[in-house]
Amino acid sequence: MQIINPATEAVIGEVTEDTQATVEEKYRSVKAGQRAWAGRTVEERLACMARFYEALETEKKVLAETLTSETGKPVQQSYNELNGARGRIRYFLDNTARWLAEEWVVTEGATREKIVYEPLGVVANISAWNYPYLVGVNVFIPALLGGNGVLYKPSEYATLTGLHIQRLLHRSGVPEDVFTVVTGKGAAGEWLLQLPLNGYFFTGSYRTGRLIAEKVASKLVPCQLELGGKDPLYVMDDIEDIDKVAAAALEGVVYNNGQSCCAVERIYVQESIYDAFVRAYTEQARKMVVGDPMNGGTDVGALTRPGQLEFLLGQISDAVEKGATLLAGGRPVDRKGYFIEPAVLVNVDHRMKLMTEESFGPVVGIQRVKDDAEAVALMGDTEYGLTAAVYSKSYERAERVMVQLNTGTVYWNCCDRVSASLPWSGRKHSGLGMTLSYQGIRAFVQPKAYHIRH
């Protein structure tokens, strides 16, 4: 399997793909090794993760440059991702022992009662290319800490990063027969679905997530899906600094080349400040530096997948044909690689794919709204339910909007952020289950009830 640099279209490596036979062999190995791993204390497993935490820092240069070379994200954002991953691991290091400890519920009387948390067994982590460290550590760190074996399939667009993760975990003390990478494209994922695993944890598109859920439903094992979004941002007319809010919205749209599940994908602005906001947003978007992701001054790098450029151009064309105005960007960059200028469109509405279908790129439509009620209706007019943001001077007013939004996460005066201490979950087509927080730790274990009578 060839690894292509999306910024240069050059082949930067070749990796041997797994076959169905090697996937089955890896499963048998991990199944055999998981029991001994589960027999270790939580403290012993935490010590391994602590060494992995340190390794991400000591090897950050090669890890960041590898990540940028195969995904196209600006290299500073690759460093940011590694720092963010370490922050999440720190949360797990500090909190896992507490949430996996046995709980005595009844300690007096003839029958005492307690809850013990046991591993699921061997689980599949079918991961994503857009944030391979962040979405990866959300799953494989708590899975390993809970005593599970993990078959980790990185995206074919982040395979070299997946192999780095495997190397560092093994060096940190996680046995080779406890964490193993499965390399390949869609077929490798299909073979994982055919195995008698004890859990499936997927990050990716709604279409693939639904397919996975359907195929493993008869197994009656946990199936968690972190899927896409069409995340709205609403700007109320009482904001005090339009330039600042426009800058925050722009970063929410274009960060990671717009390839974030929780990226801002549509903006609604109250009519009295609409023109001023659009002017501020557009001026700042035109200043974004698009180019070599290895350059520290680059704001927007290359799209990771070759077909995504044509997809975004198609959304823009559909919007313009239906009456939208392209104010800035939206054109391919004349150079090797999959580059597009950040696009700003106005005169948009929900007849347009740009406002209803996931974009996953540095493009956005900005729509005028009359009041909060219209904003709520438009923000909710989607099959997705991942995040939604509201900018306002008044928390009370913003909260009245946020409580009406059917999303797993809401933001007031911020957007496009994740916290390890809060559950990360989606509703509707944005997914099932959750990672992060104490609930994300417990997602990888199963409770056993003890009734102890003397």
Side-chain angles (χ1 to χ4, degrees):
M1 182 173 69
Q2 291 186 329
I3 309 300
I4 308 294
N5 184 329
T8 64
E9 300 181 55
V11 177
I12 57 173
E14 293 188 352
V15 175
T16 301
E17 290 188 71
D18 272 300
T19 63
Q20 186 167 7
T22 61
V23 171
E24 291 173 352
E25 181 182 341
K26 288 179 176 181
Y27 163 69
R28 288 191 294 270
S29 174
V30 173
K31 184 180 180 182
Q34 183 266 331
R35 183 179 294 271
W37 178 248
R40 296 197 193 183
T41 65
V42 173
E43 288 70 26
E44 289 175 309
R45 298 195 291 264
L46 283 166
C48 295
M49 295 309 115
R51 289 189 287 270
F52 179 68
Y53 170 87
E54 295 299 337
L56 292 182
E57 173 64 20
T58 56
E59 296 211 18
K60 63 183 178 182
K61 186 175 188 297
V62 66
L63 300 180
E65 291 178 355
T66 298
L67 180 56
T68 288
S69 71
E70 63 179 347
T71 66
K73 71 173 64 190
V75 69
Q76 183 54 55
Q77 294 180 20
S78 290
Y79 281 108
N80 294 348
E81 181 175 348
L82 286 162
N83 290 335
R86 293 183 78 240
R88 294 186 191 178
I89 296 170
R90 183 75 262 164
Y91 174 85
F92 291 127
L93 292 175
D94 293 342
N95 292 279
T96 296
R98 171 189 176 194
W99 294 108
L100 295 188
E102 65 178 33
E103 295 179 76
W104 283 98
V105 182
V106 176
T107 58
E108 298 177 352
T111 305
R112 295 186 299 151
E113 299 171 359
K114 72 175 181 177
I115 305 169
V116 170
Y117 295 95
E118 298 180 342
L120 298 173
V122 178
V123 302
N125 179 193
I126 304 173
S127 198
W129 50 263
N130 60 332
Y131 286 106
Y133 286 102
L134 289 174
V135 300
V137 302
N138 287 3
V139 174
F140 65 72
I141 294 292
L144 290 169
L145 289 174
N148 299 283
V150 178
L151 291 169
Y152 176 73
K153 186 201 170 296
S155 165
E156 60 267 36
Y157 300 108
T159 300
L160 299 180
T161 291
L163 293 172
H164 275 312
I165 288 170
Q166 175 177 253
R167 174 178 63 85
L168 294 179
L169 281 172
H170 291 169
R171 199 178 79 188
S172 300
V174 177
E176 293 183 12
D177 60 359
V178 169
F179 180 93
T180 298
V181 164
V182 171
T183 56
K185 301 179 183 177
E190 288 273 358
W191 296 326
L192 287 172
L193 301 185
Q194 295 172 21
L195 294 172
L197 301 182
N198 305 111
Y200 294 85
F201 298 83
F202 169 74
T203 303
S205 70
Y206 163 73
R207 179 181 176 184
T208 303
R210 177 177 170 176
L211 178 70
I212 290 172
E214 291 172 346
K215 290 204 170 187
V216 304
S218 63
K219 301 179 192 287
L220 299 181
V221 297
C223 178
Q224 287 204 176
L225 309 171
E226 181 187 332
L227 309 179
K230 190 65 183 175
D231 296 358
L233 182 149
Y234 172 40
V235 185
M236 294 179 171
D237 59 3
D238 63 351
I239 60 168
E240 295 180 311
D241 190 333
I242 289 178
D243 287 341
K244 183 178 178 181
V245 174
L250 177 61
E251 183 178 29
V253 171
V254 306
Y255 193 85
N256 199 42
N257 309 331
Q259 299 172 142
S260 304
C261 298
C262 57
V264 174
E265 293 221 348
R266 49 202 172 107
I267 300 174
Y268 304 98
V269 184
Q270 209 159 356
E271 55 189 6
S272 64
I273 61 166
Y274 179 83
D275 291 338
F277 178 89
V278 167
R279 188 162 50 248
Y281 185 99
T282 305
E283 287 174 358
Q284 295 180 54
R286 287 183 173 134
K287 296 175 183 176
M288 303 295 285
V289 177
V290 183
D292 182 1
M294 284 295 187
N295 186 326
T298 295
D299 297 307
V300 180
L303 299 168
T304 304
R305 298 170 297 172
Q308 190 63 9
L309 179 58
E310 288 72 25
F311 177 82
L312 294 174
L313 293 174
Q315 280 197 339
I316 293 168
S317 176
D318 170 76
V320 170
E321 288 173 5
K322 293 173 179 174
T325 301
L326 181 63
L327 285 186
R331 292 179 294 272
V333 178
D334 186 18
R335 55 169 291 166
K336 277 278 191 180
Y338 320 130
F339 293 89
I340 186 172
E341 299 167 345
V344 186
L345 291 97
V346 294
N347 300 322
V348 293
D349 58 49
H350 281 217
R351 295 175 301 124
M352 304 167 184
K353 296 177 181 178
L354 177 75
M355 299 300 286
T356 57
E357 295 182 358
E358 187 173 25
S359 299
F360 230 59
V363 304
V364 78
I366 308 177
Q367 185 167 348
R368 185 193 310 263
V369 296
K370 180 178 61 177
D371 54 25
D372 296 353
E374 184 181 10
V376 167
L378 290 169
M379 293 170 85
D381 181 26
T382 176
E383 295 177 331
Y384 294 100
L386 191 58
T387 81
V390 178
Y391 279 76
S392 172
K393 179 180 178 181
S394 165
Y395 175 73
E396 290 72 22
R397 181 182 171 194
E399 186 179 36
R400 288 194 291 272
V401 168
M402 292 190 290
V403 297
Q404 299 179 68
L405 303 175
N406 189 19
T407 60
T409 294
V410 289
Y411 306 109
W412 177 51
N413 292 344
C414 57
C415 61
D416 188 28
R417 75 183 299 271
V418 182
S419 168
S421 58
L422 293 175
W424 186 246
S425 64
R427 300 182 183 180
K428 300 190 284 186
H429 287 187
S430 289
L432 292 171
M434 65 196 66
T435 54
L436 299 176
S437 80
Y438 76 89
Q439 299 184 55
I441 294 171
R442 294 236 175 115
F444 298 91
V445 291
Q446 50 195 341
K448 178 178 283 185
Y450 278 70
H451 303 250
I452 305 166
R453 179 167 294 173
H454 291 281

